[in-house]
C-alpha cells in the first residue's frame, strides 16, 4: 500500500517541529522573546499537536471534533512534553496510513454552541485526505507564528519554515532579482 503524499507532508511538518524543539532550550520554548513579540513557541506547538490528536482520535470512529482539544498546559510549557507528544503523533501517523485516504468523515463545526446550531447541523462531510490538507495548512500557519518568535530570539530557521508549499513553489519559479533588472 502506497502512503498518501499528504500524510507524508504532515509527517514532514511534525518532524520539522521535533527537530526545532531539540534545538531550542526550555526558556525559548516556554517564554515570550520580549514585549514586542508576544508569540511563545510552546502554545503554538501545543495547539498544532492537539489538532493532530483530535484528528487521529476521531479517524477510527469517523467523527472529528477539533474543539475537543485537551489544552494540555504541560505540553505548552515543558519542551520535553512537546517532544514526547510529537514523537507519539509520528508513531500514530504511521498507524493511520492503514485508513484509506478517501474514508468518509464527519467534522464538527467550530463553536457550534456559539453559532446556535442544533446538534444535527453541527457536522460537515469530509474525508481523511481533506483533513490531511487542512492539518497541513493549519500547521504551516502556526509555524509562521513560531518563525516570528524564533527571529525575536535570534534563532535561525530554515527560510521556508512557516511558508506555504505553494508560496515556496511560486518563489522558485520567479526570476532572480538580477535577471529581472
Amino acid at each position: 500500500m502506497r502512503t498518501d503524499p499528504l500524510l507524508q507532508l504532515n509527517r514532514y511538518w511534525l518532524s520539522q517541529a521535533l527537530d526545532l524543539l531539540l534545538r531550542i532550550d526550555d526558556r525559548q520554548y516556554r517564554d515570550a522573546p520580549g514585549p514586542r513579540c508576544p508569540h511563545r513557541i510552546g502554545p503554538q506547538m501545543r495547539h498544532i499537536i492537539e489538532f493532530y490528536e483530535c484528528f487521529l482520535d476521531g479517524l477510527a470512529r469517523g467523527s472529528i471534533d477539533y474543539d475537543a482539544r485537551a489544552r494540555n498546559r504541560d505540553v505548552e510549557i515543558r519542551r520535553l512534553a512537546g517532544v514526547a507528544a510529537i514523537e507519539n503523533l509520528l508513531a500514530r501517523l504511521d498507524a493511520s496510513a492503514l485508513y484509506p485516504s478517501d474514508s468518509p468523515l464527519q467534522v464538527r463545526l467550530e463553536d457550534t454552541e456559539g453559532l446556535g446550531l442544533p446538534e444535527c447541523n453541527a457536522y460537515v462531510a469530509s474525508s481523511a485526505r481533506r483533513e490531511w490538507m487542512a492539518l497541513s495548512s493549519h500547521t504551516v500557519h502556526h509555524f509562521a507564528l513560531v518563525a516570528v518568535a524564533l527571529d525575536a530570539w535570534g534563532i535561525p530557521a530554515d527560510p521556508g519554515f512557516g511558508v506555504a508549499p505553494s508560496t515556496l513553489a511560486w518563489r522558485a519559479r520567479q526570476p532572480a532579482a538580477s535577471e529581472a533588472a
Side-chain angles (χ1 to χ4, degrees), residues 78-166:
R78 288 189 49 247
R79 183 180 56 87
L80 292 180
V83 167
I86 293 169
E87 288 173 338
N88 183 19
L89 282 176
L90 287 167
R92 289 180 71 191
L93 287 181
D94 290 339
S96 75
L98 302 174
Y99 292 90
S101 61
D102 60 352
S103 297
L105 297 169
Q106 293 293 310
V107 179
R108 186 176 175 88
L109 296 170
E110 291 184 66
D111 190 26
T112 55
E113 291 170 13
L115 294 172
L117 291 174
E119 192 63 23
C120 63
N121 292 330
Y123 289 84
V124 294
S126 189
S127 68
R129 193 149 209 264
R130 172 63 186 99
E131 293 308 305
W132 285 125
M133 194 168 71
L135 284 166
S136 176
S137 179
H138 178 260
T139 300
V140 170
H141 165 75
H142 285 278
F143 276 4
L145 297 173
V146 169
V148 171
L150 291 171
D151 185 57
W153 279 111
I155 300 169
D158 181 301
F161 185 80
V163 181
S166 61

Side-chain angles (χ1 to χ4, degrees), residues 40-54:
R40 294 179 297 131
I41 295 169
Q44 299 300 324
M45 289 296 171
R46 179 204 44 84
H47 184 76
I48 291 166
I49 289 164
E50 290 180 350
F51 261 67
Y52 280 99
E53 289 172 343
C54 287

